[in-house]
């Protein structure tokens, strides 16, 4: 069917009417896409004004300049100033601008009839009887009526609108229905309430947006002459002019990036100019040159807008080529990166190895979301996952425990990515070590072992206390992956309680269970016993304990059984004892000692034996063999192997004149002081000397405390004057 429609030049202020070209239209119905439900971009009457990726709502700052830009600018007027076709107050008794009204979802529809019904969407339309009409009820201009129905977010726009029968029905030139949640365009070559076949509402400058300093969409504007064609997203042309110097319907312009918005301009003007820089403006109708459309509002500053905008000339603009943004000629969806930045990113700990994320999806054209992670807010982020469109959760698993993780999310599609969300962070809890055990390894060491359950620790802290509920102090650390520790700072005979926990730069794990160990008292060593009389034995040992309360002394007749306690010492660091109770002369005895503490005793020392016989050896000859029966040789012969025999040697003689006695200790004989006072002490150890070695020569004067151990020889020679040797222990 061929549709004939006169095209009017719209100007609310001047009511200019121009008859234009007859056009061809196709009979069709307007299609609607499925709403996205994401509140993004401009809003009117509680409804989003088209999706965020709609061509009206996307920036054009990076689009190339159209090759015909200069011709277009010159045909419109390079030196003609910009003008607001809206304001406060009235013009010829009517508000200045294109008004719109919001109605509830249950607003009843009324019948509408159209002069150009073949390119109009049929009624009923929910137009209230008092709906505002552009130019007022008496206007002879375009008489646009715009209605936004809440709930369904349907946009109804009519041109040349006249109420009938008190508004119970309407007679209109044309009418168009748009789903504000959809990017669907009208059928090709169809008009709307606007000559370009586009909706009017998304291109209006709205007072609330300008006052807030944010107009996030393109604006609608008019020119006197357009070419007899249209470019996307327009669907209709309204001209008989064919010259390429005239812009087609739908042509987009932007304020040049090099134009500096004056700092002294009013906030309303600044907001409009910034929108023209970022989003530009679209040729939508024939009318006065460089007239931009807006809603009437008493808050507009007419003087500032008119005077300030007039300083912006046509030469400050450039036409841009929007063709690269077109995905489908029948859709207003623009080929842009996701238009919304994810917000409200939140991270929550699910387990020691998993953090769950959630965010708000603010995009309508994403293919999905990329999830990135780092262990530092300023470090290198790496992608750890992606989710499909409309997904707002992600589980980040396989994490190390005890580690802080930072996350960010951005939407993506085939045209690029959105800006990143804000950061969200969480620290996975440490997995505490378990199975801690402590075992004493001798009196000076406790070994610890535990299960390393963590994968993110830098090491372990080891703490110790004297009681299970006492004050724990740090005694050491380990590196990562450790499962044991040796505590070599302990005292013998003491109780120790331990606990461990993992650590790294993010913090510490919980403590392990407690481990307990009791170190044994240190065993005394070097026990020496000797008879000082037929009924008295002296004992001496090395005290290796640091915490004993005393020592227990035990005696046995055979070193195997019948051990009896014969005495104790009280207090630490005591190393001697005298046994003079119940001893018989010329009798062998075995002794052993152990350290004692209330919490327990040490192991016994090695046994040491003695015979309660004191050999009296006198030496009157220089060769040391003596004249009495009780010589050193006889003493050795009478000793039992392994026993210690006390020998008192009293040497009193004068050296013969000219005799040269030397000190001869033979091979392997060592001198070590260990007994007596008042003079030199010496131990002569003959271990390793062959049997029959003779000639032990002493040239010391006044030796007190001589131990002759394992000496196989039988001769004792002395040199010097007034020699005497006392307190001598002879070990066979």
């Amino acid at each position: 069917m061929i549709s004939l429609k006169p095209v009017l030049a719209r100007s609310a202020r001047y009511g200019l009417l121009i008859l234009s070209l007859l056009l061809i239209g196709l009979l069709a119905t307007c299609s609607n896409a499925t709403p996205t439900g994401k509140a993004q971009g401009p809003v009117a009457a509680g409804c989003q004004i088209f999706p965020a990726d709609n061509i009206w709502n996307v920036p054009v700052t990076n689009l190339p300049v159209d090759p015909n830009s200069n011709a277009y600018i010159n045909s419109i007027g390079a030196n003609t100033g910009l003008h607001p076709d809206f304001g406060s107050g009235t013009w010829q008794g009517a508000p200045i601008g294109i008004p719109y009204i919001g109605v509830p979802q249950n607003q009843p529809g009324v019948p509408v009839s159209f002069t150009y019904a073949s390119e109009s969407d049929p009624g009923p339309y929910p137009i209230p009887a008092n709906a505002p009409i552009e130019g007022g009820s008496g206007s002879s201009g375009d008489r646009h009526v715009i209605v936004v129905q809440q709930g369904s977010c349907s946009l109804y726009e009519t041109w040349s609108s006249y109420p009938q029968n008190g508004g119970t029905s309407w007679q209109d030139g044309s009418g168009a229905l748009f789903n504000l949640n959809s990017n669907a365009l009208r059928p090709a070559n169809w008009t709307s309430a606007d000559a370009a076949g586009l909706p009017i509402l998304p291109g209006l400058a709205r007072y609330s947006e300008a006052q807030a300093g944010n107009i996030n969409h393109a604006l609608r504007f008019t020119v006197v002459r357009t070419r007899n064609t249209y470019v996307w997203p327009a669907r209709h042309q309204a001209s008989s002019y064919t010259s390429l110097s005239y812009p087609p319907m739908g042509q987009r312009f932007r304020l040049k990036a090099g134009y500096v918005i004056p700092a002294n301009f009013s906030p309303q003007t600044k907001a409009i100019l910034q929108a023209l820089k970022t989003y530009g403006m679209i040729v939508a109708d024939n009318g006065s040159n460089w007239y931009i459309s807006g809603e009437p509002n008493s808050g507009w500053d007419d003087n500032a807008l008119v005077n300030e905008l007039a300083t912006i000339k046509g030469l400050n603009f450039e036409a841009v080529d929007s063709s690269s943004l077109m995905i489908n000629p029948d859709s207003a969806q623009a080929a842009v990166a996701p238009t919304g930045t994810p917000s409200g990113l939140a991270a929550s700990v699910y387990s020691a190895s998993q953090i769950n994320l959630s965010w708000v999806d603010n995009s309508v054209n994403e293919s999905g979301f990329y999830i990135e992670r780092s262990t530092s807010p300023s470090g290198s982020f790496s992608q750890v996952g992606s989710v499909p469109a409309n997904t707002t959760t992600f589980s980040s698993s396989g994490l190390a425990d005890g580690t802080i993780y930072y996350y960010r999310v951005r939407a993506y599609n085939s045209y690029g990515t959105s800006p990143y969300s804000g950061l969200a962070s969480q620290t996975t809890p440490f997995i505490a070590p378990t199975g801690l055990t402590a075992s004493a390894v001798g009196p000076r060491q406790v070994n610890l072992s535990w299960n390393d359950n963590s994968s993110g620790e830098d090491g372990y802290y080891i703490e110790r206390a004297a009681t299970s509920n006492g004050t724990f102090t740090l005694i050491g650390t380990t590196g990562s992956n450790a499962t044991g520790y040796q505590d070599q700072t302990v005292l013998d005979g003491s109780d120790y309680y331990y606990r461990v926990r993992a650590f790294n730069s993010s913090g510490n794990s919980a403590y392990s269970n407690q481990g307990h160990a009791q170190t044994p008292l240190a065993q005394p060593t070097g026990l020496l016993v000797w008879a000082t009389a037929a009924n008295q034995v002296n004992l001496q040992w090395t005290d290796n304990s640091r915490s004993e309360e005393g020592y227990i002394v035990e005696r046995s007749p055979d070193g195997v059984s019948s051990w009896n306690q014969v005495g104790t010492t009280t207090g630490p660091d005591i190393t001697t004892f005298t046994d003079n109770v119940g001893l018989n002369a010329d009798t062998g005895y075995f002794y052993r000692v152990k350290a004692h503490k209330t919490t327990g005793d040490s192991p016994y020392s090695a046994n040491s034996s003695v015979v309660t016989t004191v050999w009296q050896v006198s030496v009157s000859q220089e060769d040391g063999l003596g004249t009495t029966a009780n010589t050193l040789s006889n003493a050795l012969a009478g000793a039992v192997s392994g026993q210690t025999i006390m020998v008192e040697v009293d040497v009193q003689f004068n050296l013969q004149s000219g005799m040269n006695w030397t000190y001869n200790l033979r091979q392997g004989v060592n001198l070590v002081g260990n007994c007596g006072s008042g003079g030199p002490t010496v131990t002569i150890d003959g271990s390793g000397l062959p049997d029959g070695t003779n000639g032990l020569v002493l040239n010391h004067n006044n030796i007190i405390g001589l131990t002759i151990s394992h000496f196989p020889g039988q001769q004792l020679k002395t040199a010097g004057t007034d020699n005497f040797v006392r307190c001598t222990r002879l070990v066979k």
Side-chain angles (χ1 to χ4, degrees), residues 593-613:
V593 297
K594 63 179 177 179
H596 169 70
K597 193 175 183 179
T598 304
T599 56
D601 299 336
S602 75
Y604 286 103
S605 68
N607 295 347
S608 186
S609 63
V610 67
V611 175
T612 54
T613 299

Side-chain angles (χ1 to χ4, degrees), residues 1-10 17-25 114-120 142 144 157-160 172-176 186 189-198 200 235-239 249 284-286:
M1 173 181 290
I2 298 176
S3 173
L4 302 179
K5 175 183 175 184
V7 181
L8 300 182
R10 285 100 173 182
L17 179 63
I18 299 176
L19 184 62
S20 184
L21 178 68
L22 295 177
L23 55 91
I24 299 176
F114 304 107
T115 304
Y116 302 98
S118 63
E119 294 179 20
S120 297
D142 286 344
H144 287 114
E157 295 184 346
T158 60
W159 164 72
S160 189
D172 304 295
S174 62
R186 294 180 65 70
N189 300 316
W190 272 37
T191 188
S192 61
D194 221 353
L198 293 170
I200 297 172
R235 307 298 278 168
H236 186 261
Q237 60 86 15
S239 174
M249 285 293 181
D285 202 353
N286 294 309

Side-chain angles (χ1 to χ4, degrees), residues 55-56 198 218-221 233 250-253 280-284:
I55 188 62
W56 284 99
L198 293 170
L219 297 178
R220 172 188 186 271
F221 85 111
Q251 180 63 53
R252 198 152 184 164
F253 291 78
M281 56 185 179
I282 299 175
V283 176

Side-chain angles (χ1 to χ4, degrees), residues 200-493:
I200 297 172
L201 178 65
L204 297 181
R206 287 178 284 278
Y207 169 76
S208 60
E209 296 173 337
Q211 195 65 16
N214 257 330
I215 299 177
N216 296 323
H217 57 85
L219 297 178
R220 172 188 186 271
F221 85 111
T222 61
V223 298
V224 172
R225 290 190 177 97
T226 56
R227 193 160 81 243
N228 63 343
T229 187
Y230 61 89
V231 295
W232 182 83
R235 307 298 278 168
H236 186 261
Q237 60 86 15
S239 174
S240 59
Y241 296 104
T242 59
S243 172
L244 295 179
S245 63
Y246 298 130
M249 285 293 181
Q251 180 63 53
R252 198 152 184 164
F253 291 78
R254 71 179 170 217
L255 187 59
K256 291 179 178 178
Y259 176 81
V260 178
I261 300 173
N264 62 345
F265 274 12
S266 69
Q268 294 175 2
T269 301
K270 287 180 179 178
I272 291 171
L273 294 180
Q274 187 57 56
L276 293 175
K277 270 193 167 188
T278 305
Y279 297 93
M281 56 185 179
I282 299 175
V283 176
D285 202 353
N286 294 309
S288 298
N289 286 328
W290 302 120
Y291 271 45
I292 56 176
S293 302
E295 67 169 346
N297 191 288
S298 60
W300 291 119
D301 185 343
D302 290 344
N303 288 332
L305 288 172
V306 171
N307 294 325
E308 291 170 353
L309 290 178
T311 66
I312 292 89
K313 307 300 182 181
L315 55 82
N316 296 125
F317 289 90
E318 58 193 2
V320 297
D321 182 357
S322 301
S323 61
S324 62
L325 298 181
M326 185 177 70
I327 298 174
N328 185 323
D330 295 323
S331 171
Q333 182 182 10
V336 293
T339 53
T341 301
S343 61
L345 180 63
S348 60
V349 173
Y350 179 78
S351 69
S353 61
Q354 180 173 317
I355 291 175
N356 290 342
L357 304 177
S358 64
W359 60 89
V360 177
D361 173 9
N362 295 318
S363 301
V364 295
N365 61 332
E366 83 276 4
S367 299
F369 292 90
Y370 291 136
I371 296 89
E372 298 183 7
R373 184 180 70 206
S374 176
T375 55
S376 168
S378 58
S380 176
F381 280 78
S382 58
Q383 184 178 321
V384 295
S386 63
V387 294
N390 304 319
T391 305
T392 58
T393 60
F394 179 77
S395 294
S396 178
S397 59
L399 306 177
D401 65 309
T403 304
I404 186 169
Y405 290 99
Y406 296 86
Y407 293 89
R408 64 188 185 186
V409 176
R410 60 177 173 174
Y412 73 90
N413 62 19
S414 56
Y415 308 110
T417 57
S418 74
Y420 285 106
S421 68
L423 294 181
S425 66
Q426 276 291 353
T427 301
T428 53
F430 265 120
I431 303 176
T434 57
L436 176 64
T437 61
S439 58
V441 183
R444 297 287 188 269
Q445 180 173 313
V446 173
N447 287 352
L448 305 179
S449 66
W450 61 86
N451 297 322
D452 173 17
N453 299 320
S454 174
S455 60
E457 85 280 2
D458 290 337
Y460 284 91
Y461 290 133
I462 292 86
E463 298 182 9
R464 187 181 71 194
T467 61
S468 62
N469 58 354
T471 301
F472 281 81
T473 58
L474 180 68
I475 62 166
T477 61
T478 72
S480 60
N481 303 319
T483 58
Y485 181 81
Q486 293 181 348
D487 181 10
Q488 297 178 334
T489 64
V490 295
L491 298 177
D492 65 311

Side-chain angles (χ1 to χ4, degrees), residues 509-590:
S509 75
Y511 285 106
S512 68
N513 60 294
Q514 288 189 11
H516 170 249
Q518 185 182 70
T519 55
L521 286 172
Q523 180 184 29
T525 58
L527 176 62
L528 295 175
V529 295
W530 68 92
T532 57
N535 59 356
Q536 180 172 303
V537 173
N538 284 357
L539 293 85
Q540 178 179 305
W541 60 86
T542 300
D543 172 18
N544 297 316
S545 176
R546 299 176 187 174
S547 62
E548 82 281 2
E549 296 170 357
Y551 280 89
I552 295 174
V553 181
E554 295 184 5
R555 186 178 71 201
S556 169
D558 55 13
V560 178
S561 60
S562 301
W563 286 98
N564 294 306
Q565 180 176 320
V566 294
T568 60
T569 66
T570 302
D573 305 326
I574 296 176
T575 60
T576 60
F577 180 77
T578 298
D579 181 16
N580 55 14
V581 178
L583 297 176
N584 298 319
D586 299 324
T587 304
Y589 294 99
F590 291 83

